[in-house]
Amino acid sequence: MRPLDESETTAVFDKIFKFTGNNLKNIIENPSHEGPDPNPGGYCFRLHRNKVYYVSDSLLKRATNVGRDKLVSLGTCIGKFTHGGNFHLTIQSLNLLAANAKHKVWLKPTSEMSFLYGNHVLKGGLGRITDSIKANDGVVVFSMSDVPLGFGTAAKSTQDCRKMDPNGIVVYHQADIGEFLRMEDEL
């Protein structure tokens, strides 16, 4: 487990910034209240076997006693680097993104299952949408009862969504909480 280098940090922060905007500062400066230490530490990003983890400082100090070959996971895995060097967020980062999301979309109860099966969000299934979304912005998808369901990329801006037909795609699917069941064999 090692700290991210400059290019890796840039790739990770660019991807998270796409979903959180200026709230990225809240993620970086989030105080940790874990561990026996009375002084709250913070959180940091660490790379282990091409996966990026969001780890509290207290947990990181205690993990130094474990060898790299024996360490399986530490903290929250928020994404991974592909063989091509691109960074992809994983569904485990949903809680972090949902708490700090800049752009949100709420689904009608009738279209929640469609999204959880890996389909894109259609305008007919859209309950609410935040203003000022532009095409290709990162969007966190919620149910109408504010339960985070997943995230994706906006296909159209908020203004364009109001004019489109009910079968038009509003959000391209990237990840959802149904992945744990669909990819059970791989996990």
Side-chain angles (χ1 to χ4, degrees):
M1 179 144 312
R2 66 169 177 81
L4 301 174
D5 65 23
E6 191 172 330
S7 64
E8 293 166 343
T9 303
T10 303
V12 170
F13 285 178
D14 284 346
K15 186 65 81 164
I16 295 174
F17 183 81
K18 182 177 179 179
F19 289 91
T20 62
N22 293 332
N23 293 336
L24 175 62
K25 179 181 71 168
N26 298 340
I27 295 172
I28 296 168
E29 297 174 356
N30 187 15
S32 170
H33 302 290
E34 294 179 356
D37 193 12
N39 298 331
Y43 284 90
C44 58
F45 294 94
R46 291 291 186 256
L47 183 73
H48 183 64
R49 295 182 185 157
N50 81 351
K51 292 184 180 178
V52 177
Y53 294 91
Y54 184 65
V55 186
S56 69
D57 291 336
S58 173
L59 185 60
L60 188 63
K61 287 177 190 173
R62 288 181 274 156
T64 56
N65 297 331
V66 180
R68 281 188 178 180
D69 57 329
K70 304 284 187 216
L71 188 64
V72 176
S73 177
L74 184 66
T76 303
C77 178
I78 62 162
K80 62 181 179 178
F81 282 97
T82 62
H83 293 292
N86 298 324
F87 179 72
H88 292 289
L89 289 170
T90 57
I91 191 60
Q92 291 93 335
S93 66
L94 181 61
N95 289 337
L96 196 62
L97 295 178
N100 298 291
K102 181 179 178 184
H103 302 298
K104 299 177 182 180
V105 168
W106 290 266
L107 297 181
K108 293 178 181 174
T110 55
S111 64
E112 286 178 16
M113 286 307 292
S114 175
F115 180 74
L116 294 178
Y117 282 127
N119 298 319
H120 302 305
V121 176
L122 304 178
K123 187 192 187 246
L126 198 62
R128 293 185 306 187
I129 186 170
T130 55
D131 291 336
S132 72
I133 294 178
K134 297 179 186 122
N136 299 321
D137 279 349
V139 177
V140 178
V141 179
F142 290 88
S143 69
M144 289 302 276
S145 57
D146 284 332
V147 175
L149 300 175
F151 55 88
T153 305
K156 305 275 184 182
S157 67
T158 304
Q159 300 303 322
D160 293 340
C161 289
R162 293 187 176 128
K163 298 179 234 172
M164 57 192 306
D165 67 39
N167 291 328
I169 296 175
V170 176
V171 176
Y172 293 120
H173 177 275
Q174 283 187 354
D176 64 80
I177 56 176
E179 286 182 16
F180 288 115
L181 296 175
R182 290 194 309 270
M183 297 181 173
E184 187 175 14
D185 294 335
E186 296 174 19
L187 300 175

